[in-house]
Amino acid sequence: MARHTLSRTLHDLGLSAWFGGTLANAVALNSAAGEAGSDAATGRVANAGWDRWTPVNAAAIGAHLVGSVGQLRADKERVAAQQGVAGMSALKTLVTAAALGATAYSRVLGQKVSAAGSPPSKRGTWPSRRTKALAPDVAAAQQQLDTLQWVIPALTGVLVAISSYAGEQQRPGEVARGVSATA
């Protein structure tokens, strides 16, 4: 079996940064922003943190996608010949698409909130009563972000699990059983 260290590294580092960064921001940044001293400061701190994370996240996602394509190209014969690998690859592609869609939608919502300046917020993704009254569209975006901050790490966590399963499928015994089952 040939080595594909670069594509594997890009895949794994990109995915781990995508997962870990979004989870850390959901757990720490948004909650910590709530301690900024005022509802307006909370919104400003959360927006600044997420805006700083965006280019890093984009690079991580890009690295993951480049690595994923590299791995798929390197393993195309195994995908075609080994039982279960094509199904795993299809599932992984579907979950990746869902994670990309949730991330993109989250960014659109984040830009809407960020463009509003420092909309008052109780914590990074929960609007204050004032925001709900004065800017209901921004408040709605904040509430959607409150859900998406957990959806994205959940989806990327599923990708980590699928990737672990894919690694197990590459064990010599698994390959032998999978190839003989299709013959």
Side-chain angles (χ1 to χ4, degrees):
M1 209 175 260
R3 291 186 185 262
H4 304 284
T5 305
L6 179 60
S7 65
R8 226 178 252 278
T9 300
L10 289 170
H11 172 279
D12 292 352
L13 282 177
L15 180 55
S16 62
W18 189 7
F19 168 76
T22 54
L23 182 61
N25 282 334
V27 170
L29 172 65
N30 289 336
S31 297
E35 298 176 20
S38 71
D39 288 353
T42 294
R44 185 177 64 252
V45 169
N47 287 342
W50 281 102
D51 288 345
R52 286 186 179 119
W53 170 243
T54 295
V56 175
N57 198 36
I61 293 168
H64 172 69
L65 294 175
V66 167
S68 294
V69 169
Q71 283 188 291
L72 193 55
R73 291 179 82 193
D75 289 339
K76 64 185 171 203
E77 288 89 19
R78 199 173 63 78
V79 170
Q82 185 181 344
Q83 183 179 18
V85 176
M88 176 278 304
S89 295
L91 177 62
K92 189 172 176 184
T93 300
L94 272 169
V95 176
T96 300
L100 286 169
T103 301
Y105 186 55
S106 176
R107 183 59 191 146
V108 167
L109 293 171
Q111 287 175 317
K112 183 177 202 169
V113 172
S114 192
S118 299
S121 178
K122 291 294 178 193
R123 59 180 190 270
T125 56
W126 197 252
S128 70
R129 283 189 213 132
R130 186 170 173 224
T131 301
K132 288 178 184 178
L134 298 176
D137 58 326
V138 173
Q142 286 176 311
Q143 289 172 320
Q144 288 176 312
L145 286 167
D146 194 59
T147 300
L148 287 171
Q149 73 177 337
W150 302 110
V151 168
I152 297 165
L155 288 169
T156 53
V158 168
L159 285 173
V160 170
I162 294 170
S163 296
S164 296
Y165 180 74
E168 292 297 311
Q169 286 181 316
Q170 292 180 328
R171 291 175 177 253
E174 292 291 318
V175 172
R177 270 191 297 282
V179 170
S180 67
T182 61

